[in-house]
Amino acid sequence: MKDPARTPGGVPRHAHHPWVLREYAVLADGERGAVVDPEGRIVWLCAPRWHSDAVFSSLIGGAGRCAVEPVDPWHVWGGSYEDGTLIRVSRWVTADAVIECRDALALPADLDRVVLLRRMRAERGEARLRLTLDPRPGFGTRRMSEARLVDGEWTARCAELRMRLAGAPEATWDADRGLVGEFRLRAGEHHDLVLELGPGAGAEPLDADALWRATEREWARRVPDCSALAAPRDARHAYAVLNGLTSRAGGMVAAATTSLPERANTGRNYDYRFAWLRDQCYAGLAVAAHGPHPLLDQAVRFTAERLLADGEAVHPAYTVDGEAVPRERTLPLPGYPGGGDRVGNHAAAQFQLDTFGEALQLFAAAAHHDRLTPDAERAAAVAVDAVERHWKRPDAGLWELEDRWWTHSRLSVVCGLRRIARVLPGRTARRCEDLAKVIDEETRRRCLGADGHWRRATDDDGPEAALLVPLARGVPSAREPSAALTRRFIEERLGEDGYLYRFEHGDEPLGEAEGAFLLCGFAMALAAERHGDRIGAFRWFERTRAACGPPGLFAEEYDVRQRQLRGNLPQAFVHAFLLECAVRLNGAAALPF
């Protein structure tokens, strides 16, 4: 039997049409993130935490609405972030008015409730705005009930999830559409809405002015000055993104979303709402390159806690508070066009050797800033032990593929061992140096080709952009011929129009199998800078940082021909590498390596 509330494709008939990914913006407070479409609608929000079920899921074909938009359909849209924040200002121009809507998730964040701030202002003319609010927990499968208006605030609930809304006392509640209402603002007037969702809703007053002041203060505190860096505005934006994706528990999600396809209708869509230790280390190293900012301490703490808790059996990924990632399961939703919905991630059960190497590099960077805690020092010893026992074991590698003897993984642990040896006491340092030498020699024997460049793996002579990461860190040394030869080999075989792909997919042309990987473009810029090629470094940096949409957010992949983003967003490790490039390319690095 057909469902009259849905299209033939299964999409709720009231769902907003999808936009290309480059047009979406993201609000985030460290504990969860909201995706905002270019019209200013909230199309994705999980509550109360990153890995919770979504209450607004129209981004992937679910139900639920949260919109404030002009009544006049004849309007154009735009918007931007306020510098160094994830406070987003949408701007609508109608035939008679110019309207701005300032959006943010309130800071500092609470674990059990999300607070969305929306401030509408008529800049010119008279504004007419329409409110639609219909939270649908369980990825759109459930409805709020028990709606009441008490002392000017709307409340409703669904099981343990509660809702409060301040600022719309004249709205009406409809059982099918949720809250609906309209506002009129004359030039210079503003109006606030404050939405609270979560099991902890109802505990604090919803004072819009106080919440805005606290949020502005928190962003000013969290994001440092970047005026001495290359691309200062983009660097500050990268800091804001990394802050927005990092929980108070220290874990940083890889991205705010799930199931946004990397390639249409290929099954390559994954849940990235979890903290990958490798990504965490990349972010910590990028911040450490600039200075001992709080994000470094959070990365060190989270990484150390995971290593101490799980030892050599440490997982590649966790929830942001260190719990196990749930098993993959599919959702009964149509998905973003070209994708299929799933939650959970199977990669969390893989063995990824390079994670230990990146952790050792992070701890060495922390020691340089006198931020190596006793727990982190103990965790470094755990990582060294794990490398010693398992470096010969095949692993899934950076790209989380089949288990093989990946060259990148071995070079990453060599780099980590050498760096940590510089900061640990004598006997332990010598042990790390000796182990690094053994791994380096065996990796050279197996993976350094007769033509002078590094193989992708022991059984694969092809180009591999993952090798640019250890090259950028100085392994092998820039003085060695293999470093320049490998970089040139990767550029010749995997570069296209100033962008870089991960590896070759059989006989398929570059760009047919997948998009360019933006992490690889920034890693090439860092490797070029390491090798003294500043012109090449800036060329790769500028080209790669152009691969974002109007909100300045990066996904994992970029479709070079269509100039479109692919995959989940915002991708944390891409922003981390942009930040590190901005530091190193302007000679502003606070680290000697």
Side-chain angles (χ1 to χ4, degrees), residues 483-494:
L485 288 170
T486 302
R487 188 164 65 90
R488 189 177 308 121
F489 181 58
I490 293 169
E491 183 170 2
E492 289 173 354
R493 294 277 291 270
L494 299 179

Side-chain angles (χ1 to χ4, degrees), residues 507-554:
D507 296 329
E508 285 191 81
L510 295 176
E512 291 297 319
E514 63 182 16
F517 256 64
L518 300 180
L519 177 147
C520 299
F522 286 128
M524 177 66 87
L526 289 171
E529 192 275 338
R530 166 75 67 171
H531 298 161
D533 179 10
R534 288 187 58 77
I535 292 176
F538 271 99
R539 177 169 59 85
W540 282 102
F541 174 62
E542 294 296 347
R543 189 63 165 153
T544 306
R545 81 181 180 101
C548 63
L553 301 177
F554 294 91

